[in-house]
Amino acid sequence: MIRHLIKGVASVAFIAIFIALSPVARAAQPLVDVAWAKTNAGKAGVVFIDVRAKSDYLRGHIPGAVDTNYAKDGWRVSEDGVPGMFPKDTAPLAKLIGGLGIGPDTHVVLVAPGNSASDMGTATRLYWTFKVLGHDNVSILDGGMKAYLANVDKNGKPLNPLARGMAKVTAQTFPVHLQKAMLINTQDVKKAEDSGVTLIDNRTADQYMGVNRHPKSKASGTIPGARNLPESWLTENNGGMFRSAKELKELYAAAGIPTTGKQITFCNTGHWASLGWFASAEILGNKQAEMYDGSMTEWTNKHMPVEQKVKLQ
């Protein structure tokens, strides 16, 4: 009896170790570090997506990584005159993703340049996109490619392994399980505003105050009642490393924003807002956080009310 019990415990321990070491099991981690990337580069079932300029990708990338053009490949499209939207027709997007060698069980790891919070927003926006498509097996390389290239020898040569040229890819079929609840629209935001839901403007302070605005926006200012938490606050020194949960809690408190409860992030076109959503939903664990994709370009194009804190004469 005791011998069987010991064997059972050993089996459970073995399974736990196997799960812990499995790349797929680690997929729930929103962030992975450089050590993880080195260990898992080139492994079956793991695809790194490099979103840097193609010229940078060709000169050297994480072995096995594929490249994509965030702005031009169809990740975001113009819908009803509003730029940068999640596409209503997801078939081309699914074909794009499958063409990168990503299937239903692939662990996707997004690799941004890592030079600023804004370029890390490329990774968070794609992360959100995969979540909307129903693919939860996705992570972001914390610090981006800059962190991966930071380990160098005395001559400045990168020590972490690199591959050059284009990676060979076997196309997969990528299924879409659309999470419609994540695609909130203008009326959803208006109802939230009317009911006192926390609205978080992740734009720069000048745009929040109404001093400047995005060229595609029809009016200056912010959604009435919104609080400002600039995207540059969400990474260390506005770089590629995300702030810890402890630091984020301090910054949210300084901005007068709770870290729990229903909240909606927005910006101009859903890029910076994805950083805010990622910080709230994935690092702080607030699963009631949502992102307004259309953001201020859609809001003002539909002539919704704005609050302009500074009105220049």
Side-chain angles (χ1 to χ4, degrees):
M1 175 71 178
I2 295 176
R3 184 166 64 251
H4 288 305
L5 180 60
I6 293 172
K7 286 177 67 177
V9 171
S11 297
V12 170
F14 173 79
I15 292 170
I17 292 170
F18 175 80
I19 291 173
L21 294 176
S22 167
V24 173
R26 300 287 300 277
Q29 287 184 219
L31 294 170
V32 296
D33 59 18
V34 170
W36 190 97
K38 285 174 61 180
T39 300
N40 291 277
K43 282 190 176 181
V46 180
V47 171
F48 291 82
I49 301 182
D50 192 323
V51 298
R52 296 176 299 155
K54 178 163 283 191
S55 57
D56 292 332
Y57 168 83
L58 292 173
R59 279 195 295 268
H61 54 263
I62 296 171
V66 297
D67 82 303
T68 192
N69 189 314
Y70 169 70
K72 297 180 179 179
D73 282 353
W75 295 99
R76 308 172 73 196
V77 299
S78 179
E79 296 280 12
D80 302 322
V82 179
M85 296 286 285
F86 181 89
K88 292 179 180 177
D89 180 5
T90 60
L93 184 53
K95 184 177 180 180
L96 166 67
I97 294 170
L100 296 174
I102 297 167
D105 300 318
T106 304
H107 182 181
V108 177
V109 183
L110 302 161
V111 184
N115 297 314
S116 67
S118 189
D119 81 45
M120 291 305 292
T122 306
T124 56
R125 172 66 192 215
L126 294 186
Y127 182 100
W128 176 84
T129 298
F130 274 103
K131 292 286 186 177
V132 174
L133 293 170
H135 191 86
D136 290 330
N137 211 1
V138 58
S139 303
I140 293 172
L141 176 60
D142 200 11
M145 200 63 187
K146 183 175 182 179
Y148 188 85
L149 295 172
N151 187 19
V152 297
D153 62 19
K154 61 181 181 181
N155 298 315
K157 182 179 179 181
L159 291 173
N160 292 334
L162 290 171
R164 291 175 173 78
M166 295 296 294
K168 294 182 180 179
V169 177
T170 300
Q172 304 287 329
T173 299
F174 180 81
V176 172
H177 304 288
L178 193 64
Q179 305 300 299
K180 293 182 180 179
M182 293 183 69
L183 296 170
I184 62 174
N185 59 33
T186 305
Q187 290 306 312
D188 295 326
V189 178
K190 184 67 175 70
K191 290 177 183 177
E193 176 207 345
D194 292 341
S195 62
V197 169
T198 301
L199 302 178
I200 306 173
D201 188 335
N202 291 126
R203 297 177 301 161
T204 54
D206 62 315
Q207 292 186 0
Y208 169 74
M209 298 292 289
V211 177
N212 297 311
R213 69 173 186 256
H214 189 278
K216 295 294 184 180
S217 290
K218 300 297 184 185
S220 299
T222 190
I223 299 174
R227 302 293 181 91
N228 189 212
L229 184 66
E231 47 86 29
S232 60
W233 289 21
L234 304 175
T235 61
E236 296 177 7
N237 200 32
N238 192 23
M241 301 294 292
F242 284 92
R243 292 193 181 276
S244 66
K246 179 179 181 296
E247 290 177 332
L248 287 174
K249 286 177 182 178
E250 293 177 14
L251 292 172
Y252 275 56
I257 297 170
T259 56
T260 59
K262 187 173 175 60
Q263 56 186 219
I264 297 173
T265 66
F266 67 93
C267 56
N268 289 308
T269 65
H271 178 92
W272 291 340
S274 70
L275 281 155
W277 171 84
F278 184 84
S280 289
E282 303 300 89
I283 299 179
L284 294 174
N286 181 10
K287 298 307 179 182
Q288 294 189 69
E290 298 178 295
M291 189 186 84
Y292 174 32
D293 186 17
S295 288
M296 289 305 293
T297 52
E298 182 179 56
W299 185 265
T300 58
N301 282 2
K302 291 190 173 182
H303 307 291
M304 301 299 287
V306 296
E307 177 183 3
Q308 189 173 2
K309 299 178 186 298
V310 175
K311 296 182 180 180
L312 298 176
Q313 302 300 316

